[in-house]
Amino acid sequence: MVKRIGVMTSGGDCAGLNAAIRAIVLHADAHGWEVVGIEDGTLGLYERPMRARRLHPEEFDGILLRRAGTILGTVSHGDPFAFRMPDGSVVDQSDRMIEGMRTLGIEALICIGGDGSFRILDRLCRKGGIPLVGVPKTIDNDVYGTDAAIGFNTAVEVAVEALDRLQPTAQSHDRVMVLEVMGRDAGHIAIHAAVAGGADICLIPEIPYSFDNVAAKLTAVRASGRSFSLVVVAEAVRTDKGEPVARPKPDGGIRYGGIGQWLADRIESELGIDSRVTVLGHVQRGAEPIAVDRVVASALGIHAVDLIASGRTGTVAVWSRRSVGELPLAEVVGRSRPVEPDDILVRTAAGLGIYVGETAACPAVP
Ligand code: F6P
């Protein structure tokens, strides 16, 4: 019989994490289990004294459900097998973290994270013989096997709200407004926002585009008598020459940002249309969760506890067709969920006349 489980949030934060933690704590309590919240992902297990604390149902009195961020804190690094030390060296700290979980008396772990977090924790928990269940969260919505990851819908809402605010000022000034949104290598936020926010152009990393056709679309909008346009571009879109617009991160990896400015500059210089760019950035992550994210987070949190109770660990709880299910971690880890060229959102966007790039779904630009 499980008596105590651990929960951690890992990777970039997003809206709905506290709602998921709440569901886990309340449902674990109903099973008669204790929940230990580990702070700052694997960092809490590495440090001595460890940073972890009992989470009590009374803490979740209705306020935290609504609050953005994560009460546990999170980090986007901290691979136990390649742990970066203060002096810059990279050391395997997996034994120390496993020993930490044993000291805390954790008999199973729930990780609320993305694909990268699942990969490192799957390896750690397998080595330590500690059952693991993953709960998918990421505004990028690129976790394989789940229709929605926690945080995605709120991020889309923020982007649509931005377009709603850009439209009147675009109209007042006869401008092209370029909105750059997050999503890393996936264009889910961009394509959803473009459809819901009435954009004219939406560029995503999964679909190539031609600047000539961007220009043709903007020219066609003007010729139709409308003097403003809205453009959504996902952060990982490359220039039309295929060059990435990104900078290296100090600890490895890359940081996207700048394609919106590149596009706006190009539109201004080649078409002579006054253009401005808005980079939404982390505003998409820090919003209070909208209802659907609270619902998905709650359902996935409850299901994660049920998976432990029924011994179906080594899995990721997923949200699919308005219900919960689970997939083996091995099936989810290392795979991604890009926007497919025949995705319903791509077809819908193209059907609305939005230029989404060079895809069969997109009719020739008028
Ligand atoms: O993966 C979520 C995400 O918000 C991406 O959309 C974005 O590229 C990245 O994280 C930003 O990471 P950081 O918070 O480390 O700047």
Side-chain angles (χ1 to χ4, degrees):
M1 264 299 283
V2 175
K3 298 260 176 22
R4 177 179 285 191
I5 64 170
V7 59
M8 68 163 65
T9 45
S10 176
D13 75 337
C14 61
L17 295 176
N18 292 324
I21 297 168
R22 169 181 179 261
I24 290 164
V25 172
L26 297 185
H27 202 43
D29 185 61
H31 281 279
W33 305 345
E34 294 177 354
V35 180
V36 174
I38 299 161
E39 294 176 1
D40 288 342
T42 54
L43 235 56
L45 290 175
Y46 166 75
E47 285 173 15
R48 296 292 179 274
M50 275 184 286
R51 284 190 294 110
R53 61 187 163 93
R54 273 282 307 280
L55 299 175
H56 300 277
E58 310 82 65
E59 288 178 57
F60 299 90
D61 54 5
I63 297 170
L64 290 176
L65 168 70
R66 299 159 221 287
R67 201 185 289 165
T70 161
I71 55 163
L72 294 176
T74 187
V75 287
S76 304
H77 51 88
D79 181 348
F81 297 89
F83 196 82
R84 192 171 292 275
M85 305 299 288
D87 66 1
S89 60
V90 175
V91 178
D92 182 345
Q93 295 289 2
S94 57
D95 288 335
R96 180 179 167 110
M97 293 187 194
I98 290 166
E99 183 253 320
M101 283 198 272
R102 293 205 179 116
T103 305
L104 293 171
I106 288 170
E107 292 155 279
L109 178 69
I110 297 177
C111 169
I112 309 169
D115 165 56
S117 302
F118 294 161
R119 185 179 50 74
I120 57 173
L121 283 157
D122 182 32
R123 194 172 163 204
L124 183 74
C125 288
R126 275 194 286 113
K127 183 174 175 187
I130 295 164
L132 173 69
V133 171
V135 170
K137 66 85 217 162
T138 166
I139 65 166
D140 306 340
N141 210 27
D142 59 352
V143 177
Y144 178 80
T146 189
D147 291 347
I150 297 167
F152 166 65
N153 284 295
T154 302
V156 170
E157 195 70 18
V158 172
V160 173
E161 199 180 311
L163 288 170
D164 288 348
R165 292 175 185 199
L166 288 171
Q167 185 275 324
T169 176
Q171 185 169 15
S172 303
H173 288 269
D174 299 338
R175 282 174 173 159
V176 171
M177 289 295 187
V178 177
L179 179 69
E180 180 182 307
V181 297
M182 280 186 166
R184 287 208 74 84
D185 302 310
H188 295 286
I189 297 177
I191 195 81
H192 279 75
V195 167
D200 300 295
I201 293 172
C202 176
L203 304 182
I204 61 174
E206 295 91 338
I207 301 180
Y209 68 96
S210 98
F211 185 79
D212 284 349
N213 280 336
V214 167
K217 177 68 192 179
L218 294 174
T219 306
V221 168
R222 298 233 149 195
S224 75
R226 176 149 60 82
S227 61
F228 71 92
S229 289
L230 299 176
V231 177
V232 179
V233 60
E235 61 179 358
V237 167
R238 296 178 169 217
T239 70
D240 58 345
K241 300 271 180 302
E243 294 144 355
V245 185
R247 282 161 295 128
K249 290 206 277 190
D251 58 349
I254 51 167
R255 188 170 290 153
Y256 291 118
I259 186 65
Q261 191 63 59
W262 176 86
L263 198 58
D265 289 349
R266 188 92 188 261
I267 291 166
E268 263 195 350
S269 64
E270 294 198 18
L271 301 179
I273 306 175
D274 204 14
S275 304
R276 296 290 187 275
V277 59
T278 300
V279 181
L280 267 189
H282 293 79
V283 168
Q284 293 154 104
R285 296 213 320 226
E288 285 190 353
I290 62 168
V292 64
D293 264 325
R294 299 182 200 189
V295 168
V296 170
S298 301
L300 291 179
I302 299 291
H303 190 55
V305 170
D306 285 341
L307 288 172
I308 293 175
S310 60
R312 285 176 289 160
T313 55
T315 49
V316 176
V318 295
W319 180 255
S320 176
R321 295 172 184 259
R322 208 185 146 276
S323 191
V324 291
E326 64 280 350
L327 287 174
L329 270 156
E331 216 175 290
V332 174
V333 166
R335 291 170 86 164
S336 68
R337 184 175 168 271
V339 175
E340 300 295 343
D342 63 347
D343 186 283
I344 181 61
L345 264 294
V346 174
R347 285 194 282 129
T348 301
L352 290 167
I354 302 172
Y355 174 66
V356 288
E358 305 301 303
T359 162
C362 222
V365 177

